[in-house]
């Protein structure tokens, strides 16, 4: 469990806050204890939080049992539970190989959940910052702020954790991911949380926004002492967790709790970390949200927890299970070859199942072989109907589940239309999946601002194309009213190579894209090396122009570049930034860049050629050699 940064209260909490909040009801002492965020004694605070958390779990035992049931259906495996100290399979005295052999072979729930996860959670939405005015400085900062958040997402491996969270939401109904700062570092991290660790009173969260939340988790005793060495004695004396399976881990129960402030500046928000006999950490919690992002496959009408795809398909899966058991039993007991032999016949019975010759006495009836039908054809038809209905409810087709496309759909238009039909079914889930990245981005930015208060050199490495840039937070630290956050899908192109090729060809034929971008839009891994070479001129040109715009560093174009492309890019950037507050000297550099490109593209002047030197001109007669006046005109031979 990460250790939060220590803080002190700006003002001590006093009894007046308690009196104001409880003045109308005049509660007894036991009622006051339920308001744990007002308790000052650390030992009493820890004991109260443990009592409240276990009381909530006891009242909502059906939720815990239901989560075990959904997990069992998905994994096709009996488990003791998904509580931190009860996560173990049930094999009993039966060897694992025998237990596996007795499992069902067709799990429609797992097929649907994995297919939906592959269709929706494969996307990697990107959060971008958009400025509220057109000044160049803010545009440049928002662009770098987007790259900064990209670096945070990459460093925390956000997209992989989000995929796991999405699958948990399909199985349990609710997926959860926690945002925190790695102890003794400035690294912001995320971790996937099992929803069984989250303890929320359903009455408090009837509208999905509870005022208090608890996370119950196991922690290794030695690691906990390393994070909180000042409480070593209390941690060492804490009761170890019982384990239902063989384990050498020495673990203790840990509960981390939050209470949101009733309003800004109310002073009743609190964050604590407790073990059963001690409060390890406490601070005032001023944020109006918890450090979690939640995803629900289907939001229930009331309550905090959602409904998963497993719950929607549970009835069909159980019906399939019953049919499969009936069919399996019928196959074993009915579809066994039998031989009918007339009573008293003299037959060599030991040869009945051999491939040799079976002899029988004259006058005896020959043996009759018979294999009975296992089940009625209607049973198999009903089983197929259940399969189709499960895919229909989940919104995917059996072709999608098996990564196939319908026969005859080869054109780009047909493939895109088929893709749109499949995607429309998950439009709501896809929008919610993108929304969680916006929430996650806001939390990470808030944590970054807190870290910046103690570390003015805070920075991060972020990938920009094929380059790695180091971005300082001081360069991108914008106020909240200066930008808006938007989420964009990485790519909306068709997924299959045929669909991509057809779509890009259509854009090219319509003149909407240049030839240099065709291969880039294809994004086929087999041509990655070719793309790096093909797009090098485009990327290098943009980098040189960015140096001019952002840093004021001028580098002349050279004759080895794609000069026409370079001039077009420079012209586009010039027209874009001339209406902003970009410095005039940098606009001059862009104009100079275009002039230099024009100069390099202008052919050098050719030397002048006389009329006689032109190709095809008649050749002149060579002049006679000079004759001296001293020589006679008609010399005597």
């Amino acid at each position: 469990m990460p250790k939060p940064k220590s803080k002190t209260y700006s003002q001590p909490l006093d009894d007046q806050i308690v009196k104001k909040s409880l003045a109308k009801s005049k509660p007894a002492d036991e009622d006051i204890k339920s308001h744990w965020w007002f308790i000052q004694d650390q030992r009493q605070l820890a004991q109260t939080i443990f009592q409240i958390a276990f009381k909530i779990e006891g009242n909502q035992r059906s939720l815990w049992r239901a989560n075990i049931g959904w997990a069992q259906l998905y994994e096709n495996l009996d488990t003791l539970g998904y509580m931190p100290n009860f996560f173990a399979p049930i094999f009993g005295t039966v060897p694992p190989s025998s237990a596996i052999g007795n499992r069902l072979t067709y799990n429609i729930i797992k097929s649907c959940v994995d297919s939906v996860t592959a269709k929706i959670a494969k996307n990697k939405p990107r959060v971008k910052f958009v400025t509220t005015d057109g000044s160049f400085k803010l545009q440049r900062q928002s662009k770098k702020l987007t790259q900064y958040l990209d670096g945070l997402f990459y460093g925390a491996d956000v997209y992989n954790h989000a995929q796991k969270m999405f699958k948990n939401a399909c199985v349990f109904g609710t997926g959860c991911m926690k945002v925190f700062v790695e102890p003794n570092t400035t690294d912001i991290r995320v971790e996937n949380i099992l929803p069984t660790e989250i303890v929320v009173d359903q009455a408090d969260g009837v509208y999905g926004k509870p005022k208090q939340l608890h996370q119950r988790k196991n922690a290794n005793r030695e690691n906990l002492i390393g994070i909180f060495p000042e409480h070593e004695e209390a941690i060492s004396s804490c009761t170890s967790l019982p384990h239902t399976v063989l384990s050498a881990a020495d673990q203790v129960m840990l509960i981390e709790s939050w209470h949101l402030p009733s309003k800004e500046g109310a002073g009743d928000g609190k964050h604590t970390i407790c073990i059963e006999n001690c409060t390890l950490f406490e601070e005032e919690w001023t944020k109006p949200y918890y450090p979690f992002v939640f995803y629900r496959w289907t939001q229930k009408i009331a309550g905090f927890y959602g409904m998963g795809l497993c719950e929607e398909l549970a009835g069909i899966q159980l019906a399939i299970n019953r049919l499969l058991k009936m069919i399996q039993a019928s196959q074993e007991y009915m579809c066994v070859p039998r031989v009918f032999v007339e009573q008293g016949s003299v037959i060599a019975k030991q040869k009945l199942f051999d491939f040799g010759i079976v002899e029988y006495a004259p006058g005896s009836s020959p043996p009759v072989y018979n294999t009975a039908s296992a089940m009625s054809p209607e049973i198999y038809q009903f089983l197929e109907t259940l399969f189709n209905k499960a895919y229909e409810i989940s919104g995917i087709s059996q072709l999608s589940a098996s990564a196939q496309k319908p026969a005859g759909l080869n054109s780009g238009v047909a493939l895109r239309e088929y893709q749109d039909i499949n995607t429309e079914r998950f439009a709501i889930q896809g929008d919610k999946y993108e929304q969680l990245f916006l929430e996650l981005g806001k939390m990470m930015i808030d944590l970054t601002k807190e870290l910046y208060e103690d570390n003015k050199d805070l920075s991060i490495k972020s990938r920009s194309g094929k380059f790695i840039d180091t971005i300082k937070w001081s360069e991108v630290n914008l106020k909240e009213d200066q930008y808006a956050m938007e989420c964009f899908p990485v790519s909306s192109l068709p997924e299959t190579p045929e669909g991509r090729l057809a779509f890009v060809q259509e854009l090219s034929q319509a003149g909407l894209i240049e030839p240099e971008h065709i291969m880039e839009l294809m994004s086929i891994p087999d041509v990655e090396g070719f793309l790096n070479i093909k797009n090098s001129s485009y990327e290098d040109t943009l980098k040189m122009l960015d140096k001019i715009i952002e840093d004021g560093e001028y580098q002349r174009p050279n004759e080895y570049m794609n000069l026409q492309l370079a001039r077009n890019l420079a012209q586009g950037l010039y027209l874009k930034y001339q209406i902003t507050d970009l410095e005039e000297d940098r606009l001059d550099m862009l104009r100079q860049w275009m002039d230099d490109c024009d100069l390099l593209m202008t052919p050098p002047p050719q030397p002048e050629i006389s009329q006689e030197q032109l190709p095809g001109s008649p050749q002149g007669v060579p002049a006679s050699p000079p004759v001296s006046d001293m020589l006679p005109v008609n010399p005597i031979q």
Side-chain angles (χ1 to χ4, degrees):
M1 176 66 64
K3 180 181 180 180
K5 183 175 63 176
S6 298
K7 292 184 179 180
T8 56
Y9 294 107
S10 56
Q11 294 181 352
L13 297 175
D14 57 311
D15 294 336
Q16 295 298 324
I17 300 178
V18 180
K19 293 178 181 179
K20 289 181 181 179
S21 61
L22 305 176
K24 296 182 180 181
S25 59
K26 295 181 180 181
D29 292 341
E30 291 297 325
D31 294 325
I32 295 178
K33 289 181 181 179
S34 66
H35 295 70
W36 56 268
W37 49 94
F38 293 130
I39 298 176
Q40 299 295 319
D41 182 81
Q42 291 191 348
R43 184 177 181 85
Q44 183 184 1
L45 174 61
Q47 293 174 348
T48 303
I49 288 177
F50 266 69
Q51 292 173 1
I52 292 174
F54 282 106
K55 182 179 180 180
I56 294 174
E57 286 189 340
N59 294 337
Q60 301 174 168
R61 200 69 175 175
S62 59
L63 291 175
W64 178 70
R65 289 194 295 265
N67 284 330
I68 296 177
W70 310 141
Q72 289 175 341
L73 286 174
Y74 172 77
E75 294 186 340
N76 202 9
L77 177 69
D78 290 337
T79 57
L80 289 175
Y82 282 82
M83 303 286 280
N85 58 322
F86 287 99
F87 177 67
I90 295 180
F91 289 127
T93 58
V94 182
S97 59
S98 300
I100 293 174
N102 291 330
R103 295 184 205 165
L104 300 174
T105 58
Y106 201 101
N107 192 334
I108 192 68
I109 284 183
K110 188 176 189 305
S111 176
C112 292
V113 168
D114 292 347
S115 298
V116 169
T117 302
K119 185 173 288 290
I120 298 179
K122 69 177 180 183
N123 297 323
K124 298 180 180 180
R126 189 186 186 199
V127 178
K128 292 186 178 181
F129 294 83
V130 182
T131 56
T132 56
D133 59 35
S135 66
F136 168 74
K137 182 178 180 181
L138 285 180
Q139 290 181 12
R140 179 173 57 185
Q141 285 182 305
S142 65
K143 179 181 177 181
K144 286 192 173 183
L145 186 56
T146 299
Q147 295 179 1
Y148 194 97
L149 187 58
D150 289 343
L152 290 177
F153 276 16
Y154 177 79
D157 199 15
V158 164
Y159 295 110
N160 285 335
H161 285 284
Q163 290 179 0
K164 297 177 182 178
M165 178 182 67
F166 183 88
K167 180 176 288 188
N168 284 343
C170 292
V171 176
F172 299 105
T174 304
C176 180
M177 189 160 53
K178 185 178 181 180
V179 187
F180 62 96
V181 178
E182 190 75 20
N184 303 320
T185 69
T186 58
D187 299 331
I188 299 176
R189 295 287 182 259
V190 299
E191 65 176 341
N192 190 51
I193 301 296
L194 286 172
T196 50
E197 295 182 12
I198 302 299
V199 180
V200 172
D201 191 338
Q202 285 285 68
D204 183 27
V206 64
Y207 297 111
K209 297 180 179 180
K211 296 299 293 183
Q212 62 175 305
L213 181 147
H214 308 272
Q215 180 190 2
R216 187 163 67 85
K217 196 176 183 67
N218 289 358
N220 290 329
R221 193 186 302 272
E222 293 182 0
N223 294 343
L224 205 58
I225 293 175
I227 298 176
F228 301 100
E230 64 276 14
H231 299 289
E232 180 178 359
E233 182 178 354
I235 297 173
S236 300
S237 60
C238 185
T239 305
S240 297
L241 285 173
H243 291 276
T244 58
V245 295
L246 182 62
S247 175
D250 182 14
Q251 296 182 325
V252 298
M253 177 67 69
L254 192 72
I255 297 182
E256 190 171 4
S257 305
W258 293 266
H259 179 264
L260 299 183
S262 56
K263 63 179 181 179
E264 185 176 358
D268 56 350
K270 198 165 189 178
H271 170 215
T272 63
I273 300 177
C274 301
I275 55 177
E276 63 178 1
N277 59 349
C278 179
T279 299
L280 303 178
F281 174 82
E282 64 176 321
E283 65 172 349
E284 182 181 4
W285 187 258
T286 58
K287 299 182 180 64
Y289 56 82
Y290 300 108
F292 299 93
V293 289
F294 296 96
Y295 182 88
R296 299 168 181 86
W297 171 255
T298 299
Q299 183 69 57
K300 292 184 177 181
I301 297 176
F304 176 79
Y305 301 99
M307 177 188 296
L309 187 56
C310 283
E311 186 173 352
E312 294 180 7
L313 301 178
I316 294 179
Q317 182 68 70
L318 294 176
I320 291 175
N321 292 354
R322 288 192 295 269
L323 288 179
L324 288 177
K325 289 181 179 179
M326 291 171 55
I327 294 173
Q328 182 179 4
S330 298
Q331 292 286 347
E332 292 179 358
Y333 295 106
M334 298 296 295
C335 296
V336 178
R338 290 177 172 85
V339 182
F340 294 88
V341 180
E342 184 177 353
Q343 187 174 6
S345 297
V346 181
I347 297 175
K349 297 180 180 180
Q350 68 273 12
K351 294 186 177 181
L352 287 177
F353 295 98
D354 292 341
F355 291 98
I357 299 174
V358 180
E359 299 178 351
Y360 64 95
S364 298
S365 299
V368 178
Y369 289 83
N370 181 273
T371 302
S373 175
M375 301 288 289
S376 171
E378 286 79 4
I379 296 296
Y380 297 98
Q381 182 62 40
F382 182 52
L383 183 63
E384 185 67 24
T385 301
L386 291 177
F387 291 160
N388 295 332
K389 182 59 65 174
Y391 287 116
E392 180 182 335
I393 292 176
S394 61
I396 60 176
S397 64
Q398 295 190 47
L399 293 174
S400 297
S402 57
Q404 299 178 7
K405 66 179 182 64
L409 293 186
N410 297 318
S411 67
V413 176
L415 288 171
R416 288 200 304 275
E417 183 69 20
Y418 176 71
Q419 180 72 14
D420 290 341
I421 293 174
N422 282 284
T423 305
E424 186 177 357
R425 173 64 173 79
F426 305 110
I428 297 178
Q429 283 80 6
D431 290 341
K432 291 191 299 183
Y433 188 68
E434 293 179 2
Q435 184 65 30
L436 74 88
F437 288 96
L438 283 177
E439 298 178 10
L440 189 61
K442 293 177 182 178
M443 293 183 185
M444 286 187 162
I445 293 300
D446 286 349
L447 279 179
T448 302
K449 291 180 179 180
E450 293 182 4
L451 294 172
Y452 180 69
E453 296 178 2
D454 299 329
N455 181 13
K456 300 302 180 182
D457 296 327
L458 188 64
S459 64
I460 197 168
K461 294 185 181 297
S462 178
R463 187 180 183 89
S464 177
K466 60 181 181 180
F467 303 98
I468 300 295
D469 295 334
T470 299
I471 303 176
K472 293 184 177 181
W473 176 250
S474 58
E475 300 175 354
V476 298
N477 189 9
L478 295 176
K479 298 180 180 179
E480 291 186 4
D481 58 353
Q482 292 180 316
Y483 64 82
M485 298 176 65
E486 297 181 1
C487 193
F488 298 89
V490 174
S491 175
S492 58
L493 290 176
E495 301 174 7
T496 61
E498 299 93 335
R500 283 180 176 268
L501 178 59
F503 182 61
V504 172
Q505 285 177 343
E506 292 172 9
L507 293 179
S508 178
Q509 293 171 0
L512 300 178
I513 58 174
E514 298 178 352
E516 292 82 2
H517 299 261
I518 294 179
M519 297 301 295
E520 180 181 3
L521 292 176
M522 287 293 296
S523 298
I524 302 176
D526 295 338
V527 294
E528 182 177 358
F530 173 78
L531 291 179
N532 291 334
I533 299 175
K534 185 68 177 178
N535 298 326
S536 59
S537 178
Y538 176 80
E539 294 179 358
D540 292 343
T541 300
L542 280 182
K543 185 129 183 108
M544 295 170 68
L545 292 174
D546 285 343
K547 284 289 185 181
I548 292 176
I549 296 173
E550 297 183 4
D551 303 327
E553 298 179 7
Y554 186 82
Q555 184 178 354
R556 291 174 55 87
N558 56 74
E559 63 274 13
Y560 300 107
M561 301 173 59
N562 187 335
L563 295 172
Q564 187 60 52
L565 174 65
R567 194 197 188 285
N568 292 341
L569 290 174
Q571 183 179 8
L573 292 174
Y574 175 79
L575 295 175
K576 175 182 178 181
Y577 291 117
Q578 70 172 349
I579 60 175
T580 64
D581 58 349
L582 182 63
E583 292 84 346
E584 186 62 30
D585 61 328
R586 302 186 185 185
L587 291 175
D588 288 338
M589 291 182 186
L590 289 177
R591 289 191 289 265
Q592 181 64 40
W593 173 277
M594 290 186 284
D595 292 340
D596 289 342
C597 289
D598 292 336
L599 183 61
L600 290 174
M601 288 189 292
T602 303
Q606 300 293 330
E608 295 184 2
I609 302 176
S610 63
Q611 187 67 25
E612 292 78 5
Q613 295 176 331
L614 292 175
S617 299
Q619 297 296 324
V621 179
S624 302
V627 179
S628 175
D629 295 338
M630 300 297 295
L631 294 177
V633 179
N634 294 316
I636 300 174
Q637 301 297 332

